[in-house]
Amino acid sequence: MLKKIYRLTDEGNRAIIKASLCMCLFNLATLLPVILFALITDEMLNRYFGYTAGSISLWVYWGIALIVLGAIFLAYKITYRKKYLTSGKEDSILRMKLADKIRRLPLSYLGKRNLSDLTSVIMDDVAVAQNTLAIVATEFIGGLLSGIIALVILFFYDWRLSLCLAACLPIAAAVMALCRVISEGTNKRNKQKKLDISDGLQEYLENIKVLQTSPNMETYQKTLESKIKRLIPGQILYELLSGITISISYNTMRLGLGLVIIVGSTRLISGQISTVTFLLFLFIAVRIYEPLTKACEMLGELIYSLVSAKRIRDLLDYPEQTGQQDIQLSQQDIQLPQFDVTFDHVSFGYNQEDVIHNVSFTAKQGEITAIVGPSGCGKSTLCKLAARFWDVQRGSVSIGGVNVNKIDPEVLYKNYSFVFQDVVLFNDTIYNNIKIGKEDATREEIMAAAKLARCDEFIERLPKGYDTVIGENGKTLSGGERQRLSIARAFLKDAPIILLDESTASIDPENETKIQEAIGKLIKNKTVLIIAHKLRSIVDCDKIIVLKEGHLLESGIHEELMEEQGLYHRLYSLQNENIAWTVNSLS
Amino acid sequence: MKEKGVFVRLFSYMGKFKVTMTLSIILAAASAVVNLSAFISVYNVAKEIVRSLGDFSRLNQGRLIELGWQAVFLISLSFGLYGMAQLFSHITAYNTVAKLRIKLFKYIGALPLGYHSINPSGKQRKIIEKNTDNLETLIAHQIPDFVQSAVLPAAFLVFMFVYDWRLSLVCLIPIVIGFLILASMLKGESEGFVKQYQKSAEDISNAATEYVRGISVVKVFGQTANSFRRYKAAVKEYSDYMIKYALSMENTDSAYNTIINGIFFFLIPSGIILFNSGNNPERTILSFVFFAVLIPAVVTILSRIMKSSSNLMISKASLDVIDKILNEQPLSKTTHPKVPDDCTISLERVSFAYEADAERALNDVSLTIQQGTVTALVGESGGGKSTIASLIARFWDVQGGTIRIGGVDVRDMDYNEWMKQVSIVFQDTNLFKMSIIDNVAFYTPNASREDVLHALHLARCDDILEKLPNGADTVIGTKGIYLSGGEMQRITLARAILKDAPVVLLDEATAFADAENEHLIQKALDELLRGKTVLMIAHRLSTVIHADQICVLERGKIVERGTHTELLKSDGIYANMYEEYQNSISWRIGGKQYA
């Protein structure tokens, strides 16, 4: 059960079960002194009334007490050790497993999902699940089990009094269940209100520049304030509902104490039970509900953790993209005859609605193919389909004649380099950041790549050169420098197909020519697919594809397209007009 | 002492809810007392039986039943009181947290905009939400639990006099030892642990964020989670640290739980010895039974505070972060605001550094922007272009020199008044989840609908309004409403056009909108800038050739200034940049240039 729900390893599962059993032993051991108390009291009474002579053996009882004490200590210690060791180990195993799974997910899935949400599965959900395993699960299982075992043993000793002890447990459990049902609605509403607060705060902080300079600040703050205040009554209601029901349920459980006294005293008077039995049940009655109460307390947290466990499972079970049997990962080097990228009647939509309609073209090896069109026309979608970020729904995309769907993504990606605007750098040295392009690259190769990408000039200015650590996502570098590092990676990788966003060149307008130069060198003799914005920069391309709303409208070389007097012509002319714009031109 | 600090600070945030907190504390204490007295009833049952032993006919069954129900009632009462204590502590907690959140967001909202440029909104939101959440647990649960455990030793002192001082003292020994162990754990846990834990947690969180954010690179370059060393190391270190920490507490934690569950080990021999000594055996028996019955209550209360101790440290850390924010310096306000005559902006020998020991972002910069003229700032990134604009808008205040508007120091002007005079058009174009009308009228709530629509028209937004289902009343951010970056930009321009402030600070967009959007944005800018005093951070040199004044910034200094023609003639840095720029716009991918 636990193994399935929390995705434990076999070893972890066994360890948690052992820990729970030890917890149960601990609980049972803490009940043992009660028996000693009853026996000793009985001995005292026997001597007091003169039934027995001599003194009570101090050493026997103290000796037994010592053994019990030792048992308590050991049981606790073993539980403790087992649960924390296991949860610590499972924690890292699960986090590595999740990270590896995320790596295997199709990029389309990653595009759809909020990245911080994914991170929170690795961080928060794993933390909740592991905490549950370490503390909640052991206490819950241990508490419940020990309560039941104790009751069963007592049942054989005196079933009537045991029944008294247990009589109200089902009612308590029912109240508990009822409590969850009643408070669930409030709980949900509160969660919604909390989300509202989050959204409100986020909007407020994001727009603080606008707010601070507008007369609306106070009004806005008031709405936010009322959002925050609106949560309070709901929270209190929830506390009231769950607090009261839990309190009722605990009290119901303890009615057993009263029953034991009433039934016990009747039976004692009529001589059906001995004094020691009565005292034993009396002592037990004040003690036995404790582990059960604890188990109940844990139940809430256990249920709470199921949400996290489910999020973890959902991620681990998400289907991966695969390739065909014969082009699996094991075959490290599939030999493709050439690297033409061909779209054959491709239609594709993220949801029900298609955003790419029946597009066919070939980007030839050694040629540059540019995709242009107004924003939202499907340029970048098309580019990403070329690398199997998504699987197309109709038609096919192939490289060198092989359908990309048949190639395992890990093998497929070896053939691509991407130069997009969203450069990802790691908080590591420049050297290691470039090295990602080729794991076994030599220092010479890395420096050569950096040089080709025009990185060497800024790297040399850095205090530690190639060994400078560049901060989170390279925050110590300018946009253009980061872009050139990503190009250096691509140089190092030297993949036959290059997917490129032309606007990457203007990410740092003050250094535009350097990036342009680097890109120029990178794309030589490759299959190049470019998303283009500045039409003047692509007039020399071997093929230009004009998209509008997912349809391939025009294609050809610049001169042909200009002659057609269509969309391309219009965009081109408009841009030439734009470039002449200046501030202050009217004055 | 440290804990006390936390509670004192917390109390100061409670405001009038100190009353409910106090109530909660009293109820929690009462609950502990009632809980103990319930066990006294059970003891009384035992006492009746022990007293009538040998002749049960003397036993008053009615009395026994009465005592039994009394015990049940008292336990219920104790739970009820505890529930009430929790209710009041929760009321306090929820209200205090809400108050604190409101206080925080208002305080943060009044901090200089520079603070917001440095601190990402997501991080700030997390502090407002999560750190206050931690305090909620502390107030709601831990304070009542601490109170209950504090009642125990006091109760035992009372029992010492009422029942048997010897056995009472014996029982007090393990309780005191328990407290000592707890105290030593708290000490061990304090500072060092929390700091290390937070660092380790931060490392793993950063590594995970980095890994997930970089997943496309990880995938495309064939990396694995294992080869991603930083993540692997952070995960391992975190788990090692958690295990190490847990194991370091293994013995103390086990000892604590053994000792509070082990009171019997002290009680049994003392009871036997006392009984064997033969002194007043009846009293000894009764006392022995009394404590035997009472122990479970002690265990219940003492095991509750165990969990609280580590939470206390986390709460303290949270509180520290909150207090740090509340100690941030707000923008200085003047008591006698002066009003400038015109909008001529002049920087007089202005110096500024973002951090005390960092290199100066601006170094002794002087610049005058005449009313009604356009000044463009050009130069490499990091040269100080945006710092100048930020200082004029008072994101920060200058550290050396002065910025004057129409001869008046900006710091002597009313901040809100000055902000009415300035439109800031930067690259981040966030819109509110409101209708387009309300978004545009955000600076000018009194504007008529016609005025707003006119501004939208001037900002060339007509096509946007046409395609949206409810036109200008469409709420931004609702499902199915998608606006491109260029479209959002035009709406923010409409906002600025409607505001019609005499000064415009403009950061030219570097991102490339498509040709049609670009064209419309340019038209909208024409409308906005007409007749204004303009400071423009320029990235594309072509757009500024008609500016009245162009300043070239390099490493925090203005190294050249003049009109486009003048600067070209002087053949300096600007002339170079311009040539470079001409090259870049004539770039053709796959063209002959680099072939």
Side-chain angles (χ1 to χ4, degrees), chain B residues 202-510:
Chain B
E202 216 169 85
D203 281 351
I204 190 176
S205 163
N206 286 340
T209 312
E210 186 170 52
Y211 176 81
V212 171
R213 191 171 39 74
I215 200 72
S216 57
V217 169
V218 170
K219 268 181 87 79
V220 170
F221 288 104
Q223 303 263 303
T224 63
N226 265 313
S227 73
F228 202 76
R229 270 161 268 132
R230 240 168 65 79
Y231 176 76
K232 194 183 177 190
V235 167
K236 188 163 176 338
E237 196 179 311
Y238 180 79
S239 119
D240 284 352
Y241 182 69
M242 288 317 277
I243 290 175
K244 199 178 118 205
Y245 169 68
L247 292 188
S248 78
M249 309 287 275
E250 183 185 2
N251 285 327
T252 27
D253 195 60
S254 306
Y256 179 78
N257 275 286
T258 309
I259 200 88
I260 60 168
N261 278 293
I263 303 177
F264 71 91
F265 183 73
F266 297 82
L267 188 59
I268 284 173
S270 330
I272 293 176
I273 290 170
L274 278 180
F275 184 83
N276 284 349
S277 74
N279 253 334
N280 199 351
E282 188 192 332
R283 180 137 181 234
T284 307
I285 294 173
L286 290 178
S287 296
F288 184 74
V289 169
F290 173 75
F291 285 107
V293 169
L294 198 69
I295 285 170
V298 176
V299 178
T300 308
I301 291 172
L302 284 184
S303 53
R304 252 192 223 141
I305 60 167
M306 187 59 208
K307 273 189 217 154
S308 313
S309 56
S310 55
N311 276 333
L312 188 64
M313 287 299 138
I314 293 167
S315 307
K316 183 184 173 292
S318 300
L319 204 56
D320 287 346
V321 175
I322 291 170
D323 283 348
K324 189 167 166 260
I325 289 180
L326 293 177
N327 281 326
E328 285 285 340
Q329 208 57 40
L331 210 60
S332 67
K333 277 198 178 136
T334 169
T335 40
H336 302 286
K338 292 181 188 158
V339 183
D341 304 326
D342 67 4
C343 286
T344 298
I345 303 167
S346 56
L347 279 72
E348 293 165 12
R349 314 201 60 174
V350 166
S351 291
F352 180 78
Y354 285 95
E355 273 160 49
D357 47 356
E359 202 185 330
R360 283 183 179 177
L362 286 182
N363 197 356
D364 204 14
V365 168
S366 296
L367 167 69
T368 304
I369 304 165
Q370 292 295 341
Q371 171 159 291
T373 66
V374 176
T375 296
L377 304 178
V378 301
E380 59 188 13
S381 44
K385 298 191 297 270
S386 43
T387 311
I388 290 184
S390 307
L391 289 177
I392 293 172
R394 288 198 77 191
F395 283 22
W396 286 277
D397 278 332
V398 295
Q399 284 147 0
T402 1
I403 294 178
R404 292 183 197 282
I405 315 298
V408 177
D409 191 329
V410 272
R411 286 167 293 188
D412 292 335
M413 292 170 66
D414 181 75
Y415 176 71
N416 291 328
E417 279 307 312
W418 175 225
M419 281 303 112
K420 279 185 198 160
Q421 309 290 311
V422 182
S423 279
I424 304 174
V425 182
F426 282 0
Q427 297 202 27
D428 38 356
T429 47
N430 281 314
L431 294 173
F432 291 95
K433 278 181 196 135
M434 300 175 172
S435 70
I436 291 181
I437 290 269
D438 289 344
N439 262 297
V440 173
F442 206 81
Y443 292 125
T444 41
N446 298 325
S448 69
R449 191 179 167 89
E450 284 66 41
D451 289 344
V452 176
L453 289 174
H454 185 61
L456 278 162
H457 174 69
L458 290 179
R460 304 298 191 276
C461 297
D462 300 318
D463 64 316
I464 306 174
L465 303 189
E466 262 166 45
K467 79 168 189 185
L468 292 176
N470 296 319
D473 295 311
T474 306
V475 175
I476 307 276
T478 41
K479 223 180 161 191
I481 304 300
Y482 171 78
L483 293 178
S484 73
E487 288 166 338
M488 302 231 292
Q489 215 153 21
R490 278 185 274 150
I491 293 175
T492 49
L493 285 175
R495 182 147 78 189
I497 289 172
L498 186 64
K499 183 180 179 183
D500 198 27
V503 176
V504 178
L505 304 177
L506 173 69
D507 187 356
E508 188 188 18
T510 48

Side-chain angles (χ1 to χ4, degrees), chain A residues 82 106 229 238 286 304 459 503:
Chain A
K82 275 237 166 342
K229 283 187 175 155
Y238 179 74
V286 294
Y304 174 75
I459 295 174
S503 65

